[in-house]
Amino acid sequence: NDVEWTGDDVPKAHLDTATGEVIWDLSSLNLLENEVTYKVTDSKGLETTKTIKVTVLAKEEVYDKNVTSTVYIIATTLEESYLGSGVFFSEDSNEDGYAYLFTNAHVISDAISIEIVYSNYKRDVATIVGYHLLEDIAVLKVKKNNNYTIATLQSSDNLKEAGEVVTIGTPISTDYSFVTTSGIISKINSTLPSSLDSSYYLQLIQIDASLNQGNSGGPLFDTYGNLIGLNTMKLTNLKRAIIKKVMEQ
């Protein structure tokens, strides 16, 4: 019901109604290392003080933290199979519920069957929850299991040009599964017309990390190890990723 912040810089926060935990958008602090202390008072007046510490991660630490949240996707149509990537972002609270992952709509929209491969190379069948062709974003689901972890979603509102990013995906073929590349943000708030409708413009982040066919739908992480976008297209050596605002919608 009430949150008291102690510190000079005040980050954005929201209450997770399912768990009762306060979720901080620590990227808004724009500091390399932060010790976050806050007090939470519940409806009965019970006060709890909590402290969390966030540190910029090395690129290999970003990969190690998140590779288990990543999958590659084999989407089979009536004519052929397509390779893509995906990332888990949520799961149901009940034990027999589902886990949910993002990918690109163009990876799965024509599929009659969708197989995902976890980072431990176990396989599963996914079903489509929904997709938006123009935004090129899709949500899939699988039954909850022990083969994945959930990536931490983060707002992209505080991203800056030249900030470092890390990608994970399976480009070109399954011989290159769970490959990581890194780079910087070349431009934020970039716009580009949809390939399906030139009057519909996508809101994008441009990055210079190497991406190839098969990276589509894979995650883009910041140096805190948070999920900030999905890799969606490569245009004449310009690599771009959908920003998280689209995923929130």
Side-chain angles (χ1 to χ4, degrees):
N1 288 350
D2 182 60
V3 176
E4 176 186 343
W5 168 257
T6 302
D8 295 330
D9 297 307
V10 181
K12 299 175 183 177
H14 71 273
L15 182 67
D16 186 332
T17 55
T19 64
E21 291 292 317
V22 175
I23 308 300
W24 293 104
D25 179 357
L26 297 173
S27 66
S28 63
L29 294 177
N30 293 318
L31 298 175
L32 293 182
E33 186 168 323
N34 305 286
E35 187 173 276
V36 179
T37 301
Y38 61 95
K39 295 179 181 179
V40 180
T41 304
D42 64 18
S43 58
K44 297 180 180 180
L46 180 63
E47 184 179 270
T48 304
T49 300
K50 297 186 178 183
T51 301
I52 54 176
K53 189 173 183 179
V54 59
T55 305
V56 169
L57 303 177
K59 294 172 184 176
E60 60 269 25
E61 292 176 313
V62 174
Y63 179 84
D64 290 343
K65 176 182 177 181
N66 287 293
V67 65
T68 51
S69 69
T70 307
V71 299
Y72 69 78
I73 296 170
I74 301 171
T76 302
T77 70
L78 291 173
E79 298 178 349
E80 57 185 320
S81 294
Y82 294 92
L83 178 66
S85 300
V87 58
F88 283 95
F89 69 93
S90 182
E91 64 180 1
D92 292 331
S93 57
N94 52 309
E95 292 184 5
D96 59 348
Y98 289 90
Y100 302 91
L101 58 152
F102 287 127
T103 188
N104 284 154
H106 76 259
V107 174
I108 54 85
S109 59
D110 295 326
I112 58 173
S113 67
I114 302 170
E115 183 179 46
I116 66 169
V117 180
Y118 301 101
S119 61
N120 60 7
Y121 295 98
K122 293 184 178 180
R123 295 172 180 259
D124 209 342
V125 176
T127 56
I128 298 173
V129 176
Y131 59 85
H132 193 304
L133 283 174
L134 292 179
E135 291 288 359
D136 199 15
I137 189 167
V139 174
L140 309 178
K141 69 178 181 179
V142 297
K143 292 293 290 184
K144 287 177 64 174
N145 59 71
N146 297 319
N147 296 314
Y148 62 87
T149 57
I150 302 296
T152 301
L153 287 170
Q154 185 64 283
S155 172
S156 58
D157 289 344
N158 298 286
L159 297 179
K160 294 182 178 181
E161 279 86 356
E164 291 187 312
V165 290
V166 175
T167 77
I168 303 176
T170 300
I172 304 174
S173 80
T174 57
D175 292 334
Y176 303 101
S177 56
F178 305 104
V179 167
T180 182
T181 62
S182 62
I184 64 168
I185 297 172
S186 304
K187 185 178 180 180
I188 58 173
N189 299 323
S190 180
T191 57
L192 195 72
S194 167
S195 60
L196 300 177
D197 182 350
S198 60
S199 67
Y200 190 95
Y201 281 79
L202 298 171
Q203 190 177 19
L204 305 166
I205 303 167
Q206 180 182 325
I207 63 174
D208 71 350
S210 178
L211 298 175
N212 288 283
Q213 184 177 358
N215 279 114
S216 293
L220 180 70
F221 296 105
D222 63 17
T223 50
Y224 293 99
N226 297 319
L227 177 62
I228 57 171
L230 301 180
N231 304 308
T232 189
M233 64 181 70
K234 175 180 178 179
L235 295 175
T236 319
N237 296 323
L238 292 181
K239 291 78 175 180
R240 298 173 183 266
I242 293 180
I243 67 173
K244 182 179 170 280
K245 283 182 180 178
V246 174
M247 298 192 285
E248 289 174 334
Q249 294 169 1

